């Protein structure tokens, strides 16, 4: 995750009552219909809805399959028609409320649908009765319907909200309750939505209910709502990884969220997601009440579908060309609403297409300045001028780049006009005229002489090993994200046994071709071995790589193969991002671990591991642990805001990916031997391997804290880890690179534990969970 130094302020769809775990936020009284704020509406286009959260993404596809079996075709996915059919089946006549929300703000409606699917699947694993599950699903679908009443200028505003605009946005929660009550919904459903914004426990402003007094469905909706928001791209920040989002749910368990439900929510992801998807699909399309509605709505009007407009997106040929252009390309409509945002603009700005589409293209979106570094006012927007006048605009401006510095670009705004003279929008070209050479161009030059696999014509294993080291070194030097996707065809042996090895080869070739077609220039596709492939994604975050893997997975599962009797095949994917302290070897092991987890959880799915957090400066300190002999080169006390059981699980990943050996362990202490802390294949000639001994002591604490305003005060669970890292051999202490390697190991440990350094002493050990490491 890169720090762009921009968009740090809340925007029009980012006013929230839940903290979304970035800061503590003042809780609000629930004794009456207070003016409440809510979690941010995810900024993405409807076409990317099914690719948001890896564990929920297969649900829409499963719904399609079940619908096809029952004759309820949902093949038209343009302009949200796909989602509308699903919601109509679940809500019946009341689906008009959802349709109104989609017409007002499609990203919010898509967010509500994902939250409903996630709640429904989770409720199934908990064995909730049908009535409670029905109410939870409908409450999730409509929990943000009050945003219908938020003015467009506030809801779509990309910049900082003014105080009066914050007031307008904050009223949407109370307006949601008003709409539901006036629509005749049951009181139980109103209470679920109402209390989903309540904190589980707070010592700040009083709530009329807390803890177990809150409806179970409300507590579940609150967790899934926050999780979806954190794992969704926004203009002001990219999506967080699943691991990071779960860790931040744990950080606020016991205060904002029900701690036991947070634990169950984590366990929910360890189950077979394909089986859950199949059960959920059949429930939504086949297990409805006889009257076709999930709850007894007191409505008389029938749902009336509205014809959607023609799809404004380019053809697949045009989109392929646009996505592979080095220059930035943006399509806007007559109101300057962004319709297309290609990878060139993503590379320039660091803002993803999912976060930009649906926004209004105005100078403040990109912090646009003229050559004298003076901000360009929104009313002087060159794109709006081109649309208004019908005259092209060409000039040099500065926009905020992904590194938090302004980048000089030539902006060319070309109005799009029909034969009758009507202006329908504009095409915007952004050409980078800075002297810096992009990382993607460097990576592309590195594998110009790529060694190819003879069968698939992608890079072979040897070339992948070489390029992995180059990718890691280049991205660490430039402080940019880099991701690795490992993939493997499911049940490949049965393909060879049933259809023959030639058919198996053709399946491998087809899969390799699909991988290449879905990747950008600068990425590397390699055949790792047999039916297993790897993709190195340059300048790409964990979440973006997971979306790419999900798109490939879905496309492969829908593709028939003539050599297999026109049957489709599936694949599993493991995704990770370069993080602090990584070597090429640890990054590869973590991606492979994610792939194995995808297979263990039922195959045909995407699993992402790793946090991608950039390394913090290592602090020096001394912690006198009894029984530990010898002076340590690097010492620290780490604090991670998760229970000790979760910290131990994450420590398992560190041990596996570092290929470490457990030398000694007891209830609260652990000694590891790491064979080499060096940078793998990039090792210098005089940089021979060395081994390190890592001493760890874990303890769980309950820390009392509150936010800056004195609210959200309470007792929070945290795990403290005392760390000492020493070379195995005393003679290695004299080597110049030894301390740097020890610090790199500490940085890697911090990334796995998602921990920060702390100066507090760890004097209250909790004798639990450590024995699980050696099971």
């Amino acid at each position: 995750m890169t720090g762009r130094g921009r968009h740090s302020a809340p925007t029009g769809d980012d006013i929230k009552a839940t903290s979304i775990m970035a800061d503590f936020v003042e809780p609000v009284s629930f004794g009456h219909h207070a003016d409440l704020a809510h979690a941010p509406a995810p900024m993405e286009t409807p076409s990317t809805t099914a690719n948001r959260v890896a564990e929920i993404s297969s649900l829409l596809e499963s719904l399609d399959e079940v619908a096809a079996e029952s004759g309820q075709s949902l093949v038209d996915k343009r302009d949200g028609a796909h989602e509308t059919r699903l919601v109509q089946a679940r809500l019946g006549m009341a689906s008009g409320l959802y349709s109104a929300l989609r017409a007002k703000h499609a990203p919010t409606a898509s967010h509500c649908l994902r939250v409903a699917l996630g709640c429904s699947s989770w409720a199934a694993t908990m064995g909730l009765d049908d009535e409670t599950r029905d109410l939870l699903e409908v409450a999730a679908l409509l929990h943000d319907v009050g945003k219908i009443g938020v003015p467009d200028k506030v809801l779509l505003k990309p910049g900082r909200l003014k105080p009066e605009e914050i007031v307008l946005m904050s009223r949407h929660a109370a307006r949601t309750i008003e709409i539901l009550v006036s629509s005749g919904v049951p009181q139980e459903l109103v209470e679920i939505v109402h209390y989903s914004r309540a904190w589980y426990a707070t010592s700040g402003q009083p709530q009329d209910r807390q803890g177990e007094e809150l409806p179970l469905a409300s507590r579940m909706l609150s967790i899934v709502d926050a999780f979806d928001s954190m794992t969704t791209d926004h203009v002001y920040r990219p999506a967080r990884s699943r691991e990071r989002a779960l860790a931040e749910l744990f950080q606020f368990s016991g205060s904002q969220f029900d701690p036991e439900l947070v634990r169950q929510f984590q366990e929910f992801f360890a189950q077979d997601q394909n089986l859950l998807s199949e059960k959920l699909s059949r429930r939504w399309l086949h297990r409805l009440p006889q009257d076709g509605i999930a709850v007894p709505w007191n409505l008389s009007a029938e749902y009336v579908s509205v014809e959607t407009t023609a799809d404004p997106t380019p053809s697949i040929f045009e989109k392929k060309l646009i996505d592979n252009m080095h220059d930035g390309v943006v399509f806007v409509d007559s109101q300057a609403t962004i319709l297309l945002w290609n990878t060139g603009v993503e590379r320039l700005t660091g803002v993803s297409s999912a976060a930009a589409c649906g926004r209004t293209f105005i100078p403040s979106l990109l912090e646009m300045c003229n050559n004298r570094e003076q901000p360009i006012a929104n009313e002087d927007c060159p794109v709006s001028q081109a649309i208004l006048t019908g005259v092209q605009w060409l000039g040099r401006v500065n926009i905020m780049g992904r590194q938090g510095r302004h980048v000089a670009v030539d902006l060319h705004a070309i109005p799009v006009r029909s034969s009758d003279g009507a202006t329908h929008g504009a095409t915007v070209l952004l050409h980078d005229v800075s002297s810096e050479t992009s990382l993607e161009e460097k990576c592309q030059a590195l594998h110009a002489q790529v060694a190819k696999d003879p069968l698939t014509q992608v890079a072979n294993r040897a070339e992948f090993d070489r390029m992995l080291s180059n990718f890691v070194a280049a991205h660490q030097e430039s402080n940019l994200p880099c991701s690795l996707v490992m993939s493997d065809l499911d049940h490949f042996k049965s393909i060879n046994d049933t259809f023959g090895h030639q058919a198996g080869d053709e399946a491998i070739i087809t899969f390799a071709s699909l991988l290449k077609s879905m990747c950008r220039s600068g990425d590397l596709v390699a055949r790792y071995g047999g039916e297993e492939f790897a993709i190195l994604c340059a300048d790409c975050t964990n979440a973006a790589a997971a979306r790419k893997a999900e798109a490939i997975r879905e496309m492969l599962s829908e593709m028939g193969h003539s050599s297999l009797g026109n049957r489709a095949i599936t694949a599993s994917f493991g995704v990770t991002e370069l993080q602090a302290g990584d070597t090429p070897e640890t990054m590869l092991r973590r991606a492979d671990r994610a792939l194995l987890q995808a297979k263990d959880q039922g195959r045909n799915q995407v699993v992402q591991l790793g946090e991608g957090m950039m390394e913090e400066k290592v602090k020096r300190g001394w912690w006198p642990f009894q029984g530990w002999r010898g002076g340590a080169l690097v010492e620290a006390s780490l604090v991670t805001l998760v229970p000790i059981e979760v910290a131990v699980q994450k420590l398992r990943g560190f041990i596996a990916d570092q290929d470490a050996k457990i030398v000694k362990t007891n209830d609260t202490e652990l000694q590891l031997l790491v064979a080499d802390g060096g940078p793998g294949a990039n090792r210098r000639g005089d940089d021979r391997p060395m081994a390190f001994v890592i001493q760890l002591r874990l303890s769980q604490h309950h820390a009392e804290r509150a936010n800056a305003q004195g609210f959200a005060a309470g007792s929070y669970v945290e795990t403290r880890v005392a760390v000492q890292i020493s070379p195995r051999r005393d003679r290695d202490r004299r080597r110049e690179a030894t301390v740097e390697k020890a610090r790199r190991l500490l940085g890697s440990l911090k990334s796995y534990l998602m921990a920060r350094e702390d100066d507090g002493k760890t004097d209250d050990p909790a004798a639990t969970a450590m024995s699980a490491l050696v099971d």
Side-chain angles (χ1 to χ4, degrees):
M1 186 178 296
T2 59
R4 299 193 298 275
R6 63 197 228 81
H7 298 303
S8 58
T11 61
D13 51 44
D14 186 38
I15 304 302
K16 50 199 167 195
T18 58
S19 67
I20 312 307
M21 281 56 71
D23 302 285
F24 290 101
V25 178
E26 177 181 344
V28 185
S29 170
F30 282 77
H32 54 86
H33 294 333
D35 287 342
L36 304 178
H38 192 36
M43 293 307 301
E44 60 173 330
T45 59
S47 61
T48 62
T49 297
N51 300 329
R52 267 292 354 112
V53 182
E55 289 73 17
I56 298 177
S57 60
S58 62
L59 299 181
L60 294 177
E61 180 187 352
S62 298
L63 287 166
D64 265 339
E65 295 172 356
V66 174
E69 294 174 5
S70 62
Q72 304 177 56
S73 177
L74 299 172
V75 296
D76 185 5
K77 301 182 182 181
R78 297 182 302 170
D79 297 326
H82 182 59
E83 294 180 15
T84 302
R85 283 293 308 279
L86 296 179
V87 174
Q88 183 183 4
R90 204 72 194 101
L91 299 183
M93 295 179 295
S95 59
L97 288 177
Y98 181 90
S99 298
L101 178 60
R102 167 162 290 284
K104 175 70 175 183
H105 195 233
T108 297
S110 298
H111 161 73
C112 291
L113 178 57
R114 292 194 307 275
V115 172
L117 291 170
C119 286
S120 182
S121 188
W122 184 19
T125 66
M126 295 176 62
L128 298 187
D129 60 87
D130 285 344
E131 181 180 359
T132 301
R133 192 174 171 189
D134 283 337
L135 290 169
L136 174 58
E137 291 168 351
V138 177
L141 280 170
L142 300 177
H143 75 278
D144 270 345
V145 73
K147 287 191 176 179
I148 292 173
V150 179
D152 289 342
K153 66 179 182 179
V154 176
L155 193 60
L156 302 177
K157 185 175 181 179
R160 182 190 295 270
L161 293 181
K162 299 177 182 178
E164 60 271 20
E165 293 171 332
I166 293 177
V167 173
L168 289 173
M169 174 64 78
S170 67
R171 291 175 179 166
H172 92 272
R175 188 173 288 109
T176 294
I177 301 302
E178 294 172 2
I179 292 174
L180 295 180
V181 170
S182 63
S183 300
V185 306
Q187 180 62 26
E188 298 94 326
L189 192 146
V190 175
E191 289 187 353
I192 290 172
V193 176
H194 181 59
Y195 288 106
S196 68
R197 294 171 171 87
W199 283 46
Y200 181 76
T202 176
S203 58
Q205 294 186 9
Q207 298 176 174
D208 62 341
R209 296 190 194 180
Q210 290 195 61
E212 299 296 323
E213 297 175 349
L214 298 170
L216 173 63
S218 297
R219 287 176 272 146
M220 295 175 65
L221 174 55
S222 176
I223 291 172
V224 181
D225 188 14
F227 181 82
D228 184 78
S229 180
M230 286 189 289
T231 54
T232 300
D233 272 324
H234 300 267
V235 169
Y236 50 87
R237 65 154 177 81
R240 291 172 178 163
S241 68
R242 187 194 73 175
E243 283 192 295
R244 183 64 183 174
L246 286 172
E248 296 199 7
L249 288 176
F250 273 111
Q251 176 181 342
F252 282 79
S253 65
S255 57
Q256 184 174 349
F257 306 111
D258 184 330
E260 181 58 31
L261 285 180
V262 171
R263 291 175 183 271
Q264 293 181 26
F265 187 65
Q266 183 201 32
E267 296 171 356
F268 160 65
F269 287 108
Q271 303 193 31
D272 188 333
Q273 297 298 316
N274 291 329
L275 180 60
L276 293 176
S277 298
E278 180 182 352
K279 292 181 178 179
L280 179 61
S281 303
R282 298 193 178 278
R283 170 182 172 79
W284 273 54
L285 291 177
H286 289 289
R287 296 180 58 189
L288 301 179
Q290 294 298 318
D291 56 2
I293 56 176
V295 292
W297 300 81
N298 298 319
L299 300 172
S300 58
E302 294 186 358
Y303 173 83
V304 180
S305 61
V306 179
E307 291 295 329
T308 57
T309 57
D311 191 343
T313 56
S315 70
I316 56 174
F317 300 101
E318 294 167 336
K319 192 172 190 311
K320 189 68 176 177
L321 172 63
I322 293 169
D323 280 344
N324 282 276
M325 290 178 64
H326 181 78
D327 288 344
V329 179
V330 180
F331 290 174
V332 300
D333 64 13
S334 59
Q335 303 301 314
T337 302
I338 299 171
L339 305 175
L340 180 140
W341 185 275
N342 81 333
T343 54
V345 193
E346 291 181 336
R347 181 173 53 248
L348 273 174
T349 65
V351 178
S352 71
S353 173
C357 289
R359 294 276 187 176
T360 301
F361 190 101
I362 51 178
S364 60
L365 180 68
L366 300 176
E367 300 183 33
M368 193 180 296
C369 299
N370 58 26
N371 288 334
R372 297 185 296 277
E373 297 186 357
Q374 297 172 334
I376 298 176
N378 289 339
E379 53 268 25
D380 297 328
C381 177
V383 176
S384 297
Q385 291 180 14
I387 295 173
L388 181 63
T389 63
V391 178
Q392 297 186 25
W393 193 98
L394 177 61
R396 183 158 297 179
V397 298
N398 295 308
I399 62 174
M400 186 58 67
R402 64 180 306 115
Q403 295 299 315
R405 300 186 299 270
H406 275 93
V407 177
V409 298
D410 283 338
L411 188 151
H412 190 185
I414 307 166
V416 177
R417 308 180 70 176
S418 59
S419 57
D420 60 2
T423 301
H424 296 273
T427 296
V428 183
L429 303 178
L430 299 171
H431 175 65
D432 184 2
V433 294
S434 65
S435 59
E436 298 178 3
T437 304
S438 70
L439 175 66
E440 185 175 348
E441 290 174 328
K442 292 181 180 179
C443 292
Q444 188 174 6
L446 284 173
H447 65 83
Q449 303 297 324
V450 64
K452 295 184 177 180
D453 172 64
L455 177 65
T456 62
Q457 294 302 299
V458 299
N460 58 23
R461 170 69 179 273
E463 181 65 8
F464 169 79
D465 290 339
R466 184 182 73 84
M467 285 303 303
L468 176 61
S469 296
N470 290 334
F471 262 63
V472 169
H475 286 79
Q476 286 176 334
E477 180 181 357
S478 60
N479 201 34
L480 289 174
C482 168
S483 294
L484 172 61
V485 180
M486 298 297 293
S487 58
D488 189 65
L489 290 174
D490 296 330
H491 305 294
F492 185 73
K493 184 178 183 301
S494 65
I495 296 176
N496 283 333
D497 293 345
T498 305
F499 299 96
H501 288 277
Q502 184 174 355
D505 286 348
E506 291 182 13
I508 289 176
I509 293 172
T510 301
F511 186 41
S513 299
L514 176 60
L515 294 176
K516 287 192 296 183
S517 69
M518 297 291 287
C519 292
R520 308 164 300 170
S521 59
D523 296 342
L524 178 73
V525 178
R527 187 180 181 191
Y528 193 72
E531 67 275 17
E532 189 172 0
F533 289 81
I535 308 175
L536 281 169
C537 304
D539 194 3
C540 180
T541 64
N542 200 335
R547 287 197 301 271
K548 178 182 295 185
E550 176 61 27
I552 295 172
R553 184 205 65 78
E554 183 176 0
M555 188 172 296
L556 180 67
S557 66
E558 297 173 349
M559 182 185 301
H561 299 266
S562 57
S563 60
L564 305 179
N566 208 33
R567 299 178 183 177
I569 57 177
T570 62
S572 301
F573 297 80
V575 182
T576 193
E577 179 185 344
L578 182 67
Q579 62 188 29
D582 262 345
T583 65
E585 292 81 6
T586 58
M587 187 180 185
L588 178 60
R589 292 190 190 111
R590 190 167 58 250
D592 197 52
R593 190 158 50 89
L595 174 60
L596 291 175
Q597 185 175 330
K599 287 186 170 294
D600 290 343
Q601 291 178 185
R603 294 184 170 87
N604 189 27
Q605 58 187 271
V606 178
V607 169
Q608 53 175 314
L609 292 178
E611 205 278 319
M613 198 165 46
M614 302 312 293
E615 183 174 1
E616 301 174 13
K617 185 178 180 180
V618 177
K619 302 177 183 177
R620 294 178 177 271
W622 171 250
W623 309 105
F625 302 114
Q626 297 179 356
W628 289 1
R629 298 179 179 178
L633 289 182
V634 173
E635 298 172 322
S637 179
L638 307 183
V639 177
T640 178
L641 302 178
V642 298
I644 195 169
E645 296 88 350
V646 178
V648 168
Q649 291 179 15
K650 296 185 179 301
L651 197 55
R652 280 179 178 272
F654 174 82
I655 294 171
D657 297 342
Q658 291 286 349
D659 197 22
K661 293 181 174 61
I662 299 177
V663 179
K664 186 191 311 180
T665 184
N666 58 36
D667 286 339
T668 60
E669 296 183 5
L670 178 69
Q671 184 180 92
L672 303 176
L673 179 64
V674 180
D676 185 17
N682 286 339
R683 191 178 290 125
R684 299 187 297 273
D686 61 345
D687 192 12
R688 66 180 182 273
M690 67 179 68
F692 287 89
V693 175
I694 303 178
Q695 303 273 13
L696 303 171
R697 174 178 290 174
L698 280 74
S699 60
Q700 182 170 289
H701 296 253
H702 286 79
E704 298 291 333
R705 60 178 183 266
N707 67 1
Q709 291 75 35
F711 295 107
S715 179
Y716 292 81
V717 174
E718 64 183 28
T719 299
R720 295 180 183 176
V721 185
V723 185
Q724 286 187 329
I725 303 177
S726 307
R728 186 180 187 187
R729 300 177 300 186
D730 285 340
R731 64 183 179 182
D732 284 333
R733 296 175 183 274
R734 298 187 294 271
R735 296 170 61 181
E736 183 178 349
T738 304
V739 174
E740 181 60 32
K741 290 183 177 182
R743 291 179 177 174
R744 188 183 298 119
L745 278 174
L746 178 60
S748 178
L749 184 62
K750 287 165 62 179
S751 293
Y752 277 84
L753 293 174
M754 290 178 288
R756 58 177 174 81
E757 293 192 49
D758 185 72
D759 293 330
K761 294 183 179 180
T762 58
D763 55 359
D764 181 25
T768 57
M770 185 61 72
S771 60
L773 286 170
V774 291
D775 287 344

